[in-house]
Amino acid sequence: MNLYLEAGFVVLAYFGVVFILAQIRRNNSIVDIAWGPGFVFLAIYSLLRGDIYTQRAMLTTFFVAAWGLRLFFYISIRNWGKPEDYRYVDMRKKWGESNYYLKAYFNVFFVQGLLQYIIALPIITVNLMVPGKIGFLSYIGALIWIIGFYFEAVGDYQLRQFVKDANNKGRVMKYGLWKYTRHPNYFGEATMWWGIFLVAVVSVRDMWLIVSPATITYLLLFVSGVPLLEKKYMKREEFREYAKVTNKFFPWIPKKM
């Protein structure tokens, strides 16, 4: 079976299992915890099935595993013991009781599976590539990935430390990396996928893989990442003042008021 088609079935099966677990727990936000490990599972699966183990394949798999596992542990710790995320609660209310399970599966789990497949295309492609030696563009991609990983990991750490301090309750995080962008973690995630894209590109024929970083960047900037948080926090005066001097997504020096 073609590895691209096989990978599609693997993603469907993975999110099918996650869907069942979510319904048992009556918590659809479990899908957020499963997002990162899904990429790790797919990367390792396609590496083993590709059976070529080139430098490019091993580097890409390492990058995906490092990102996905860190994200898994961070979200798991953050969400452990907490009720279903407000976004999924709102979805439940919107769907109603009629055909609830079908709506939950297709609107959350199937859609996330489809998006994961699209974003993971560079991983699958790299694990089919011969030759797979690392070239100049791969080094550039690796550097970009490291920058992205730094922004996401450090940004998440800084936010967690800020939230853990009881003195900061009700306040807006605007220190460290958050001084230069209102969403360093989302910027970091998008940047990492641009890095993986560059690692995967060998020639012009591989440029179609740009669909991966373009998709995750679009989602984070315009759909499920930045817009939801901006809408939620723009109700606060402190956040509105913060937004006047700090870039929404791309890091930059704060504006002077």
Side-chain angles (χ1 to χ4, degrees):
M1 185 186 294
N2 180 285
L3 185 55
Y4 288 104
L5 183 60
E6 191 173 327
F9 283 118
V10 168
V11 172
L12 278 176
Y14 175 79
F15 277 95
V17 172
V18 175
F19 167 73
I20 293 170
L21 293 175
Q23 303 322 301
I24 292 172
R25 295 293 303 274
R26 291 192 57 81
N27 187 341
N28 287 326
S29 55
I30 287 174
V31 76
D32 293 340
I33 297 175
W35 177 251
F39 283 97
V40 178
F41 178 69
L42 187 58
I44 294 174
Y45 180 88
S46 60
L47 177 69
L48 295 175
R49 293 290 290 127
D51 197 29
I52 53 176
Y53 308 105
T54 62
Q55 293 177 348
R56 196 185 301 273
M58 297 300 288
L59 181 63
T60 305
T61 301
F62 171 77
F63 281 165
V64 173
W67 164 76
L69 291 175
R70 189 211 70 84
L71 188 65
F72 165 71
F73 285 113
Y74 176 76
I75 295 179
S76 296
I77 292 171
R78 185 188 67 184
N79 293 356
W80 188 261
K82 293 183 179 179
E84 188 176 48
D85 185 273
Y86 75 95
R87 295 168 297 162
Y88 299 99
V89 172
D90 289 343
M91 288 180 193
R92 284 179 183 273
K93 294 176 181 177
K94 181 180 178 181
W95 296 332
E97 295 297 326
S98 177
N99 298 316
Y100 164 76
Y101 291 111
L102 282 175
K103 292 173 182 175
Y105 176 73
F106 283 105
N107 284 291
V108 177
F109 300 87
F110 179 80
V111 168
Q112 291 222 19
L114 178 62
L115 292 172
Q116 184 167 105
Y117 179 80
I118 293 170
I119 296 165
L121 284 170
I123 306 168
I124 303 167
T125 302
V126 160
N127 287 330
L128 292 171
M129 279 184 179
V130 178
K133 290 185 178 180
I134 296 172
F136 176 74
L137 201 59
S138 295
Y139 287 114
I140 298 297
L143 177 60
I144 290 173
W145 183 90
I146 291 169
I147 292 171
F149 187 80
Y150 174 82
F151 266 85
E152 183 178 66
V154 174
D156 279 343
Y157 174 78
Q158 291 174 340
L159 179 60
R160 181 161 181 80
Q161 295 304 114
F162 180 83
V163 171
K164 283 169 63 176
D165 187 341
N167 294 322
N168 294 324
K169 187 174 182 181
R171 296 178 59 200
V172 173
M173 172 56 167
K174 47 189 176 184
Y175 310 100
L177 293 178
W178 300 78
K179 179 179 178 180
Y180 305 100
T181 164
R182 305 202 294 270
H183 303 279
N185 46 355
Y186 289 149
F187 167 78
E189 182 162 347
T191 301
M192 276 187 283
W193 285 104
W194 283 101
I196 289 173
F197 160 68
L198 291 177
V199 171
V201 170
V202 174
S203 64
V204 175
R205 71 175 184 274
D206 302 316
M207 289 302 295
W208 68 276
L209 294 173
I210 200 171
V211 67
S212 167
T215 297
I216 188 65
T217 303
Y218 177 80
L219 289 172
L220 291 173
L221 257 176
F222 303 108
V223 182
S224 63
V226 171
L228 291 179
L229 288 180
E230 290 282 305
K231 182 179 179 181
K232 178 180 179 181
Y233 290 111
M234 274 298 180
K235 298 173 184 177
R236 300 185 185 180
E237 175 62 27
E238 186 183 5
F239 189 86
R240 291 196 296 272
E241 292 300 316
Y242 167 59
K244 291 178 182 178
V245 298
T246 306
N247 272 14
K248 178 190 292 186
F249 193 72
F250 296 99
W252 196 247
I253 300 170
K255 303 179 184 70
K256 292 182 179 180
M257 293 295 291

